[in-house]
Amino acid sequence: MTTILDPTDERVPIARSITPRPEAITGNVALLDISKPRGNVLLDRLEQRLAERLPGVTVNRYAKPTFTKPAPETLRQDIKADNDFVIEALAD
């Protein structure tokens, strides 16, 4: 069991299990821009590299309204419903 500190509230650490990594990336991949400056630049390049290396993968792009707050519940549910993997971009 690994302890992960949530930067939105570290007063009480939450114990979580790390999800086992799959052998291959297939299906739908969500690229989530948290709306920090230049995050879209990182995700543009990552999307290009995914298309080159994993032609069978479908990339779906999402963006948080602001980096200062957690993603809205509806956005999280949309990402969860439509994707197999999530990559979140942090940049400045």
Side-chain angles (χ1 to χ4, degrees):
M1 182 80 54
T2 301
T3 299
I4 300 172
L5 297 179
D6 183 344
T8 59
D9 187 355
E10 294 183 358
R11 292 176 284 182
V12 181
I14 300 170
R16 295 184 180 140
S17 299
I18 303 275
T19 303
R21 293 184 181 199
E23 302 240 350
I25 297 174
T26 59
N28 296 335
V29 175
L31 299 182
L32 176 60
D33 184 344
I34 70 162
S35 296
K36 287 197 90 173
R38 299 186 49 83
N40 62 326
V41 174
L42 171 65
L43 289 177
D44 289 346
R45 181 70 174 132
L46 185 55
E47 183 174 11
Q48 179 185 28
R49 296 291 291 162
L50 286 170
E52 291 168 5
R53 298 183 74 180
L54 302 169
V57 168
T58 300
V59 174
N60 299 311
R61 298 282 293 258
Y62 301 88
K64 286 177 43 178
T66 177
F67 68 87
T68 61
K69 296 180 182 177
E73 181 64 26
T74 54
L75 178 59
R76 289 184 284 172
Q77 291 302 320
D78 288 347
I79 291 170
K80 181 179 178 182
D82 297 333
N83 298 280
D84 304 295
F85 298 90
V86 179
I87 300 171
E88 186 173 333
L90 306 171
D92 259 336

